[in-house]
Amino acid sequence: MTSSGTNPLLSDRDVRFQLFEVLDAAGLCALPAFSEHSPETFELLLGNVSRFAREVLFPTYRLMDAEPPSFREGRVHVHPLMRRLYPRMVELGLLTATRPAEVGGQQLPMTVASVASAYLMAANASAYGYLGLTIGAAHLLEVFGTPWLREHFMARLYSGEWTGTMALTEPQAGSSLADVKTRATPGPDGTYRISGSKIFISGADQDFTENVVHLTLARIEGAPPGTRGISLFAVPTRRPEGGRLVDNDVQVAGVIHKVGWRGIPSCVLNYGEAGDCRGWLVGPEHRGLACMFQMMNEARIMVGLNGVSTAAVAYQEALDYARSRPQGRPAWAKDATQPQASIIEHADVRRMLLRQKAIVEGGLSLLLTASWQADLEGHSRDEETRRRAGLLLDLLTPIAKTFPAEKGYEANALALQVHGGYGYSSEYLPEAWLRDQKLNSIHEGTTGIQGLDLLGRKVMAAGGEALRIFSEEVAATVARARQAGVEAGWCEGMERALGAVAELTLSLGAMGMAGEVEQMLRHSADYMELFSIVAVAWRWLAQAAAAREGLARGGSERDFYEGKLCAAQYWFAVEVPRVPHLIELCRSCEDSYTRMHPEWF
């Protein structure tokens, strides 16, 4: 049930603002890879995808959430709607939207394709999940696969005939990939015999395409221990043999009963129970994790987009409900005979809505900025620009995955709160989106893992050059904001926060160099929190600058731009002042939870 029966999923006006006013998406067309595109082709894609998302995909969300996949006679049976939905999603062109023409792609910028995908995620994240995982698997084969794999596997993934998965996690290892035990034994035909088990494999079986290809991490016999001994294999559920597909000894042992993302199965897979599971090596032996990280980093951006999208659709629902639900009167109104006010008139409801807006639109700006850097890294004509963009993208990726997941969950909880008692019922959708959102801080590397990656690797990369590049980008935004007439206090607050983070990072880096690694990383979760606040402040300052520029042009959109400035004000007034406290926790190495003995709990 919705308050008005419609939900835009994402704000079209905000999407255009982020693409064409905060960023310069039209300017990407000057790059050779995108020279055949224009703002008009971008608009065509966005229009087609958003229309499909609203009119076709979103109405299926509740149905698929209510009827999750079933496991019968060794096969997974998904909701029958997927037989109709998946071909329609393939027709939109997103499987190959960013890929080169030689593999049938449209060579669209990732910046544009990302926000197009966000509409589908907001409409039905589970249904989109099949598409997103297939994009990642096909891209891996495109980059690292042999010509045979590209012809026989990649082409069918990109065409939509097959789907793909990422099969990393094992029951005994969890996120510790160094402990992967799945084995790969060389066979006489050039393939490998795969044996072992995987768990939590999304989309590992379904009944709407004829095959699934699992990009699987395994250890070749005799490989070195740890992550250096891991190789990557393409393992189809059914393998091509003699001009037809035959069983490849990949069995679903069970399906996880999830609280959210209920439209896509999470499976336990057993490889090689009959000794006849064939896998094809992808990339060099023992370099599987390095290859897989391409897919994992793409998946982390996808998770961030899912976080933003799931928070966005709930925010839009809460906003509509708050405008249409009459309840109570202002605190100073004493006349009970007067009509009730819409709850959006109550200050605390506006507080909750503004926080959601700040998280959603700040998070979207962060994700599009990461996608922008991916476009520059992959397609700029200038080698130095590509190098800088790559370092900045690496730095932003753990933040772009974590912030929307963690703060998106908070935004989803606020959307439920705005609905009051109705929100705490399954007749209204906010509770379902809250369930969906929780997964985003768990899969593709938990929040704790992302914090360790950010502090332990990314900000220290290339002798701290990634942080220097980030600082230069922030400085350029501050200059733009000042030129546009953005409040001086916000610009100064941005500079102070950035300087404090840089100083802290140098201090923690010195700690690590001195061998005090545990102390350095002790508050990596707090470091992630404070860096996320600063990164989103950077994006809100950019939006504030674009809003000031929009107001200076005049016109009829004053309300839109003033709303942007209010959200930026909120972030600088409420979130940025938290940075000094978080910095002190990191710097002091406060030890309450590391000093806590397990038996004291």
Side-chain angles (χ1 to χ4, degrees), residues 381-462:
R381 287 171 287 197
D382 179 63
E383 182 178 348
E384 176 62 12
T385 299
R386 292 196 301 271
R387 189 186 70 84
R388 284 173 58 92
L391 283 169
L392 185 54
L393 176 61
D394 283 347
L395 175 66
L396 291 177
T397 295
I399 306 163
K401 190 271 184 189
T402 300
F403 174 83
E406 291 290 351
K407 294 303 179 184
Y409 187 75
E410 181 183 343
N412 279 99
L414 288 170
L416 190 152
Q417 185 76 14
V418 168
H419 281 75
Y422 292 105
Y424 197 67
S425 70
S426 58
E427 282 75 21
Y428 284 71
L429 285 169
E431 62 84 22
W433 291 316
L434 187 66
R435 289 188 279 107
D436 287 349
Q437 184 68 274
K438 191 58 219 156
L439 181 61
N440 290 322
S441 63
I442 298 172
H443 64 168
E444 307 307 337
T446 64
T447 295
I449 289 172
Q450 302 301 326
L452 290 170
D453 183 43
L454 175 64
L455 179 55
R457 298 185 185 93
K458 299 302 173 60
V459 295
M460 304 299 175

Side-chain angles (χ1 to χ4, degrees), residues 480-493:
R480 176 186 178 184
R482 285 196 168 110
Q483 178 67 29
V486 170
E487 282 75 351
W490 303 354
C491 297
E492 292 161 6

Side-chain angles (χ1 to χ4, degrees), residues 230-495:
I230 294 175
S231 298
L232 178 63
F233 299 87
V235 185
T237 296
R238 305 173 72 202
R239 66 177 183 260
E241 192 172 283
R244 61 193 181 94
L245 292 176
V246 301
D247 180 77
N248 192 37
D249 196 13
V250 178
Q251 307 299 326
V252 178
V255 172
I256 309 299
H257 300 284
K258 300 178 292 180
V259 298
W261 285 68
R262 288 160 61 89
I264 185 170
S266 180
C267 301
V268 180
L269 284 182
N270 288 341
Y271 298 95
E273 289 183 334
D276 193 31
C277 178
R278 314 282 177 90
W280 283 258
L281 183 67
V282 179
E285 290 186 355
H286 315 318
R287 294 288 296 163
L289 199 57
C291 297
M292 180 62 89
F293 260 110
Q294 171 185 286
M295 187 175 180
M296 289 169 69
N297 283 331
E298 290 175 359
R300 286 169 179 171
I301 296 293
M302 185 176 78
V303 169
L305 281 167
N306 266 309
V308 165
S309 303
T310 304
V313 66
Y315 164 59
Q316 293 294 337
E317 193 84 354
L319 181 60
D320 183 66
Y321 182 84
R323 285 171 169 160
S324 61
R325 165 66 172 169
Q327 183 175 308
R329 297 162 188 83
W332 57 87
K334 305 300 183 184
D335 186 355
T337 65
Q338 293 300 308
Q340 290 186 325
S342 297
I343 62 172
I344 200 169
E345 298 296 332
H346 301 307
D348 193 59
V349 172
R350 292 202 299 278
R351 174 191 64 82
M352 291 187 285
L353 291 170
L354 184 57
R355 183 158 184 82
Q356 290 173 72
K357 179 182 176 72
I359 290 169
V360 167
E361 295 175 10
L364 180 60
S365 185
L366 181 64
L367 264 298
L368 292 183
T369 300
S371 299
W372 178 273
Q373 298 305 321
D375 285 327
L376 293 181
E377 180 192 26
H379 303 291
S380 175
R381 287 171 287 197
D382 179 63
E383 182 178 348
E384 176 62 12
T385 299
R386 292 196 301 271
R387 189 186 70 84
R388 284 173 58 92
L391 283 169
L392 185 54
L393 176 61
D394 283 347
L395 175 66
L396 291 177
T397 295
I399 306 163
K401 190 271 184 189
T402 300
F403 174 83
E406 291 290 351
K407 294 303 179 184
Y409 187 75
E410 181 183 343
N412 279 99
L414 288 170
L416 190 152
Q417 185 76 14
V418 168
H419 281 75
Y422 292 105
Y424 197 67
S425 70
S426 58
E427 282 75 21
Y428 284 71
L429 285 169
E431 62 84 22
W433 291 316
L434 187 66
R435 289 188 279 107
D436 287 349
Q437 184 68 274
K438 191 58 219 156
L439 181 61
N440 290 322
S441 63
I442 298 172
H443 64 168
E444 307 307 337
T446 64
T447 295
I449 289 172
Q450 302 301 326
L452 290 170
D453 183 43
L454 175 64
L455 179 55
R457 298 185 185 93
K458 299 302 173 60
V459 295
M460 304 299 175
E465 188 174 5
L467 182 59
R468 179 182 62 78
I469 293 168
F470 175 76
S471 300
E472 291 171 356
E473 292 292 323
V474 173
T477 300
V478 171
R480 176 186 178 184
R482 285 196 168 110
Q483 178 67 29
V486 170
E487 282 75 351
W490 303 354
C491 297
E492 292 161 6
M494 184 78 254
E495 290 175 324

Side-chain angles (χ1 to χ4, degrees), residues 167-184:
L168 285 69
T169 307
E170 298 184 1
Q172 82 290 341
S175 297
S176 180
L177 297 180
D179 296 307
V180 162
K181 291 183 178 180
T182 297
R183 311 301 298 178

Side-chain angles (χ1 to χ4, degrees), residues 455 508 511 515-524 586 589:
L455 179 55
L508 293 175
M511 199 179 293
E516 299 174 338
V517 177
E518 188 278 327
Q519 293 94 323
M520 170 195 172
L521 296 175
R522 184 176 294 170
H523 283 273
S524 56
C586 295
C589 301

